[in-house]
């Protein structure tokens, strides 16, 4: 019998689930240093301010647009990235504050 069992933070569980997929983790790692991993050529918005367009993420990952969109949506639901629309294109940027909060929660939880 478990005494004083505490349920895990649902936001933390959602983030860990999103990161359990190696490709989603890779996408998040690339977005940590967008200037290093993505060419600024052809960008319609500032990668540092707005984020990286799904088209550029798709090209680097070598995956179908729908797969990349689904992966990024999962990372967004987990609070790890933020999406910004620029015209008809969606750009993604890491949510550094939220990631730091989740890391802190993980440290306190484990």
């Amino acid at each position: 019998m478990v005494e004083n069992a505490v349920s895990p933070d649902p936001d933390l569980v959602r983030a860990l689930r999103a990161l359990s997929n190696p490709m989603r983790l890779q996408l998040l790692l690339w977005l940590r240093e967008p200037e290093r991993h993505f060419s600024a050529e052809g960008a319609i918005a500032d990668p540092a301010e707005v984020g990286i367009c799904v088209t550029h993420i798709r090209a680097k990952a070598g995956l179908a647009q729908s797969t990349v969109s689904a992966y990024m949506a999962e990372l967004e639901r987990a609070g790890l990235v933020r999406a910004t629309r620029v015209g008809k294109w969606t750009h993604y940027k890491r949510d550094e504050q939220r990631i730091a909060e989740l890391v802190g929660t993980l440290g306190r939880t484990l």
Side-chain angles (χ1 to χ4, degrees), residues 54-99:
V54 148
T55 303
H56 293 111
I57 297 170
R58 185 211 57 76
K60 182 163 182 73
L63 299 170
Q65 178 100 18
S66 59
T67 301
V68 171
S69 292
Y71 283 174
M72 297 311 296
E74 182 70 22
L75 291 170
E76 184 179 18
R77 281 190 298 275
L80 300 168
V81 299
R82 284 179 281 132
T84 302
R85 294 284 293 184
V86 178
K88 63 180 181 175
W89 294 277
T90 303
H91 291 66
Y92 287 96
K93 180 179 177 168
R94 286 168 50 114
D95 187 336
E96 296 297 346
Q97 180 180 342
R98 185 72 185 120
I99 290 170

Side-chain angles (χ1 to χ4, degrees), residues 33-49 51-53 56-57 60 91:
E33 297 178 280
E35 65 286 342
R36 179 175 169 206
H37 296 287
F38 298 96
S39 170
E41 187 176 321
I44 60 170
D46 181 358
E49 290 296 316
I52 302 296
C53 180
H56 293 111
I57 297 170
K60 182 163 182 73
H91 291 66

Side-chain angles (χ1 to χ4, degrees), residues 1-58:
M1 176 178 270
V2 177
E3 293 182 32
N4 298 325
V6 177
S7 296
D9 181 310
D11 291 337
L12 181 60
V13 171
R14 192 174 303 113
L16 291 173
R17 189 175 297 126
L19 295 173
S20 70
N21 176 290
M23 192 64 214
R24 285 194 297 259
L25 179 58
Q26 181 65 64
L27 296 173
L28 195 63
L29 292 172
W30 285 338
L31 290 175
R32 184 175 187 168
E33 297 178 280
E35 65 286 342
R36 179 175 169 206
H37 296 287
F38 298 96
S39 170
E41 187 176 321
I44 60 170
D46 181 358
E49 290 296 316
V50 179
I52 302 296
C53 180
V54 148
T55 303
H56 293 111
I57 297 170
R58 185 211 57 76

